[in-house]
Amino acid sequence: MIKSRLCDLTGIKYPIIQAGMGPFSNNNLCVAAANAGVLGLLSTSGLFSKDEQPWVYNAFVESGEANVNDDMATVLEKVLKRTYRLTKDKGGIFGINVMVSAELVKYSQVMIDTAIKVREENPDMKNHFKVIFTSAGDPVGWKDKIKGAGFTWMHVVPSVKAALRCKKAGVDVIVASGHEGGFHTSWEPVHSMILLPAVVEAVSDDKTLVVGAGGFCDGRTLAAALALGADGVQMGTRFLATQESDFHQIWKEGVVAAGDRGTLVARGFVGPARWLKTPRSVEHAKNTLQKSPGVFLGAPDDYTTVDMSLIKFEIESIKAVYEGNKEKALMAAGEAAQRINDMPKVNDMVQVIVRDAENILRSIQTKYLT
Ligand SMILES: Cc1cc2nc3c(=O)[nH]c(=O)nc-3n(C[C@H](O)[C@H](O)[C@H](O)COP(=O)(O)O)c2cc1C
C-alpha cells in the first residue's frame, strides 16, 4: 500500500490532498474526499465576496447548510461543524484553505480565529479537522497562531525562494505548485517537473515535507511525484470533475471535454490564471495581451494599475457559470484537464489512482532494476 510521511503526519490513508478551490464552494467535495481517505480541503475565500459576487457567496452558504444572513464567521463555523458531522464516522481528515494575501488579511484573520475557536469548543474535532492550508501570501507571521493552536500548517509556493521563506516561517508541509495548475498561477512560470524536485532539494528534511501540485491527476503522476522526492500530491482539476464536486455541471463537463492543449493563461482577478480554452477565454487572453501584458511577461500589476475592464469581464464570466451560460462563462482548470476524460465518484477515483500508482511503482522496479 502507498503510504508516505504525509499520511503519518496527518492521519490520512493516501498521500493525496484535494485542493481547496476558492472562491467556489468545496463543501460537498471536501466531505467526499475526506471520506475517501485523502485530505479534504474546504475553500473559504467565497465568504469574502458577499457583496461583489453574491452568486458565489450564496452557493457557498447553500452547500454548507448555513444561512445567507449569517456573518462570515458563523457560516464558517456551520460549515466546519457540518464537515465534522459528515466525516467523523469514516475517520475523515480535513482542513481549510485560507488565502492570506495582503489585501485579504483582515478576512484571513477571521477565518483562522474562527477555525481555532470552533476546534477548541469541540475537542473531538481535533482528530479530524487537522490542517490549516494558507495560500497566496507571505507565510511569515502566522506560525504562532496556527501552530500554537496545534494545527498542521501547509502553505503553497511557486518558487524555491518562496519555499525557503516558508521553511523560515515554520511551515510543516510546503506545496510546490507548478505552472500546469488550475486557476491562479504565478507571475513567473515554472512547471512541476522543474519546480518540485528543486523545492524538494531546497527544503525537504525531517521536519519539512514537500507536496507537488499542478498537473497531478492519476496514478502515473502520483508515482512520478513520489519519484521526484515529494511526500504526496495535491490535485485540483481532477477533483473538480467528480460526481460529488460542488462545481457547476457545465464546468465539470468542460474539464472532461477539454482535449489536447485545452487550457490557456490570461488574467484572473489577482494575476495570471489558467482557464479552459473556449472562445470566451480566447477573447479574454487577447484582451489581457493588450491591456495587461505583464501577465505574460512576469511583470505584476494589481487593482491600482490594472485595466478594470478585464476584472469586469471576469466577474461577468463567473456569474455566467452560475447562470449556466456556456458562451459567456470563464471556467478555471489546469492543464490536467486534457488528461481527464471521466467524472467518477470520488471514492472510486481515489481507489483507481492509488492502485495504479502502486502498480506503476512495482512495475518500474521489475522493469528497470536488474
Ligand atoms: C477552480 C480552481 C480554483 C482554485 N482556487 C484556489 C484557491 O482559492 N486557493 C488556492 O490556494 N488554490 C486554488 N486553486 C489551485 C489549487 O488549489 C491547486 O493547487 C491546483 O488546482 C493544482 O493543480 P491541478 O489543477 O493541475 O491539480 C484553484 C484551482 C482551481 C482549478
Side-chain angles (χ1 to χ4, degrees):
M1 183 170 131
I2 284 198
K3 206 166 176 284
S4 79
R5 297 192 302 165
L6 187 67
C7 305
D8 301 334
L9 180 70
T10 60
I12 54 177
K13 273 196 202 138
Y14 311 117
I16 300 173
I17 300 172
Q18 164 257 312
M21 289 180 279
F24 316 103
S25 160
N26 305 162
N27 293 334
N28 291 309
L29 177 57
C30 174
V31 169
N35 285 340
V38 310
L39 177 66
L41 286 183
L42 296 163
S43 70
T44 59
S45 54
L47 295 175
F48 308 167
S49 53
K50 186 172 185 174
D51 299 326
E52 304 84 56
Q53 299 191 64
W55 40 91
V56 172
Y57 184 84
N58 292 347
F60 193 104
V61 165
E62 206 172 292
S63 63
E65 296 175 37
N67 191 305
V68 79
N69 298 317
D70 291 335
D71 61 24
M72 68 164 76
T74 309
V75 177
L76 181 62
E77 182 171 345
K78 286 184 178 174
V79 171
L80 288 172
K81 287 181 176 167
R82 171 185 188 267
T83 310
Y84 169 61
R85 175 168 51 81
L86 296 175
T87 55
K88 68 178 189 321
D89 291 345
K90 290 201 172 155
I93 309 290
F94 65 96
I96 54 170
N97 176 302
V98 185
M99 292 174 80
V100 293
S101 48
E103 72 282 9
L104 297 176
V105 160
K106 62 176 189 291
Y107 302 127
S108 326
Q109 295 274 9
V110 175
M111 295 293 103
I112 292 173
D113 288 347
T114 303
I116 292 169
K117 180 188 95 105
V118 171
R119 218 172 68 138
E120 289 304 321
E121 289 170 2
N122 301 272
D124 183 55
M125 221 191 240
K126 289 191 177 158
N127 299 319
H128 301 272
F129 175 27
K130 292 194 177 176
V131 173
I132 293 186
F133 185 117
T134 48
S135 69
D138 189 356
V140 171
W142 291 99
K143 181 180 176 184
D144 290 349
K145 217 178 239 282
I146 295 173
K147 299 283 299 164
F151 282 93
T152 295
W153 182 19
M154 304 187 178
H155 190 90
V156 64
V157 298
S159 65
V160 170
K161 186 178 170 197
L164 290 168
R165 190 142 175 95
C166 280
K167 186 149 177 151
K168 188 174 156 205
V171 173
D172 300 305
V173 180
I174 299 175
V175 179
S177 181
H179 195 54
E180 299 93 329
F183 212 14
H184 299 302
T185 68
S186 63
W187 290 95
E188 290 178 74
V190 186
H191 292 78
S192 292
M193 185 60 92
I194 300 302
L195 182 70
L196 181 53
V199 170
V200 167
E201 283 159 15
V203 298
S204 177
D205 64 16
D206 287 355
K207 284 202 186 121
T208 312
L209 278 57
V210 174
V211 162
F216 301 98
C217 59
D218 60 0
R220 205 178 277 285
T221 44
L222 168 57
L226 298 176
L228 292 172
D231 297 289
V233 292
Q234 166 165 276
M235 298 182 183
T237 304
R238 177 58 279 190
F239 277 95
L240 192 160
T242 55
Q243 294 292 321
E244 294 95 329
S245 144
D246 307 72
F247 283 77
H248 196 287
Q249 196 65 16
I250 61 168
W251 201 325
K252 300 190 205 185
E253 286 169 3
V255 169
V256 174
D260 186 29
R261 294 164 293 166
T263 64
L264 54 72
V265 172
R267 208 171 204 296
F269 298 99
V270 292
R274 187 174 291 287
W275 304 99
L276 284 175
K277 195 186 281 178
T278 61
R280 181 80 170 171
S281 66
V282 169
E283 184 186 345
H284 189 45
K286 284 182 185 158
N287 291 339
T288 302
L289 193 56
Q290 242 184 13
K291 300 175 184 174
S292 187
V295 160
F296 304 109
L297 299 169
D301 54 21
D302 61 25
Y303 273 36
T304 60
T305 49
V306 72
D307 185 322
M308 286 309 281
S309 68
L310 291 171
I311 309 291
K312 193 167 163 261
F313 189 92
E314 287 157 22
I315 291 177
E316 276 169 20
S317 306
I318 296 294
K319 185 170 181 226
V321 176
Y322 288 87
E323 292 163 349
N325 182 342
K326 264 186 179 175
E327 280 68 45
K328 280 186 90 178
L330 272 180
M331 297 168 285
E335 285 181 9
Q338 85 167 65
R339 301 199 54 238
I340 292 170
N341 304 308
D342 58 2
M343 206 188 295
K345 293 198 93 159
V346 168
N347 188 57
D348 297 343
M349 180 185 87
V350 168
Q351 289 303 315
V352 170
I353 291 173
V354 171
R355 185 202 62 205
D356 287 355
E358 285 168 356
N359 287 339
I360 287 163
L361 290 171
R362 273 194 210 102
S363 78
I364 283 178
Q365 191 171 18
T366 48
K367 259 180 169 167
Y368 302 110
L369 293 179
T370 53

